[in-house]
Amino acid sequence: MSEKIRLAAMDIDGTLLGKNKKLTDYTIEVLDRAAAAGIHIVIASGRALQAIPETLCRVEGIEYVITSNGSSVFSLKNQERIFEKDMTSEQIMMILDFYRNYECPMEIFIKGIPYTSEEYFRFPERFGAFGSAAEYVKTTRNPVKDIRAFAMEHKDEIEGINFIMNHMELKTEMREKLEAMGGIYVTSSVPRYIEISHGDVCKYAALKWLANELNICPEEIIAFGDGENDLEMIQYAGIGVAMENGIDRVKKAADRIAPSCDENGVARVLEEFL
């Protein structure tokens, strides 16, 4: 491995995983080889810890997982939350007050566990989640009867909130209002989501914290991503890599473009440094 690269950070959906949501043997082999060469392998996802694919958690070379768009960093070996930046109770109250005017599903993340309403959990197709997306909801979310009351009860320990959108016009309206509130981080990893965290949170901030803990400078980091929530991380890394299937904004900010997630793009670029 190049002496410059000491840490490789990578998104999951649309980056490590393609349309079939499976990690290929080739990618696992390259990640293990990189780790054996002394590179810290870090997953950086909008997912909560409980929603990280089991196949990824079993890859021996992966040490750390940045979750909930940077609200948490977990040591994968012992499942310990080593960095946390939850939303404040005031932010939660502000968002719940805003949410009174809308009927879209809501998800909340608490200590790595994602919760959502029973209706969305049972019938995700009603809200635009079909096929693998519907399966993802049913296998990773924990249903509660009254998600608003549940959020109120846990307002002091929420990592982040997702709103699930089935109509893009409504998403635009809600996002503009949320961003106008200030003090919160608003992003979108996939078109159906509005993702909200503390204003000091993003993948870049969590990655910077972890790099400082490991005494690694930005020039020694390579980062891979495809979506809006990967932008700051791509800009921070010494080598920012956007996937061919990524959005234009991320590709313009990147130092180079990798083959698509369906072509083992992460592994093919990372292997160049081996």
Side-chain angles (χ1 to χ4, degrees):
M1 181 69 70
S2 167
E3 291 183 0
K4 283 190 63 179
I5 302 301
R6 296 179 56 206
L7 187 154
M10 54 206 68
D11 174 49
I12 296 178
D13 301 289
T15 301
L16 270 177
L17 301 185
K19 293 177 184 177
N20 65 5
K21 299 299 180 183
K22 293 181 179 179
L23 196 64
T24 67
D25 291 340
Y26 167 57
T27 295
I28 293 173
E29 186 232 343
V30 172
L31 293 178
D32 283 339
R33 286 172 58 200
I39 304 306
H40 297 282
I41 307 298
V42 179
I43 298 301
S45 177
R47 296 188 185 210
L49 181 65
Q50 185 174 281
I52 301 297
E54 191 175 333
T55 51
L56 269 178
C57 294
R58 290 200 300 262
V59 176
E60 292 185 7
I62 297 176
E63 295 180 85
Y64 303 100
V65 182
I66 294 170
T67 63
S68 304
N69 287 320
S71 297
S72 302
V73 180
F74 288 89
S75 169
L76 195 55
K77 182 178 181 180
N78 53 20
Q79 301 287 295
E80 179 186 0
R81 192 182 185 199
I82 59 175
F83 170 84
E84 57 187 72
K85 188 68 175 181
D86 291 337
M87 300 180 72
T88 67
S89 57
E90 291 79 12
Q91 289 172 335
I92 298 301
M93 296 298 293
M94 176 179 68
I95 290 171
L96 288 177
D97 183 62
F98 161 83
Y99 185 46
R100 288 189 303 173
N101 300 314
Y102 298 96
E103 294 298 327
C104 61
M106 180 173 71
E107 301 177 330
I108 62 174
F109 298 165
I110 300 174
K111 294 181 173 63
I113 302 175
Y115 300 87
T116 194
S117 63
E118 279 192 346
E119 183 183 13
Y120 180 53
F121 177 81
R122 294 177 61 195
F123 308 107
E125 297 84 359
R126 294 179 181 175
F127 305 96
F130 299 97
S132 61
E135 183 67 16
Y136 173 68
V137 173
K138 294 177 180 179
T139 56
T140 65
R141 271 40 183 169
N142 294 271
V144 296
K145 286 190 175 182
D146 188 336
I147 190 67
R148 298 170 194 256
F150 188 79
M152 179 76 74
E153 180 183 351
H154 295 275
K155 65 181 184 297
D156 295 318
E157 52 182 344
I158 294 177
E159 294 175 79
I161 290 177
N162 288 353
F163 290 128
I164 312 302
M165 315 305 304
N166 202 15
H167 301 287
M168 293 304 101
E169 297 83 359
L170 180 60
K171 176 182 176 179
T172 299
E173 173 192 321
M174 291 180 67
R175 179 161 183 170
E176 288 177 352
K177 291 180 178 179
L178 287 164
E179 289 176 336
M181 292 178 182
I184 56 176
Y185 175 64
V186 183
T187 189
S188 180
S189 59
V190 296
R192 293 189 304 108
Y193 287 2
I194 297 177
E195 299 159 60
I196 309 160
S197 307
H198 190 286
D200 294 334
V201 158
C202 65
K203 291 184 182 182
Y204 146 71
L207 179 59
K208 182 179 179 181
W209 176 87
L210 181 59
N212 287 339
E213 290 292 302
L214 298 172
N215 196 29
I216 294 173
C217 63
E219 292 75 19
E220 298 172 311
I221 298 173
I222 186 170
F224 299 83
D226 70 301
E228 177 188 335
N229 60 337
D230 299 313
L231 179 63
E232 297 93 345
M233 178 175 72
I234 294 291
Q235 293 170 324
Y236 166 69
I239 304 175
V241 184
M243 310 306 291
E244 178 59 42
N245 53 280
I247 63 173
D248 288 342
R249 189 177 172 195
V250 171
K251 288 196 278 191
K252 288 178 181 177
D255 298 298
R256 61 174 297 177
I257 308 298
S260 79
C261 57
D262 291 309
E263 299 174 325
N264 296 303
V266 171
R268 288 170 64 181
V269 171
L270 195 55
E271 193 172 36
E272 293 178 15
F273 296 91
L274 291 173

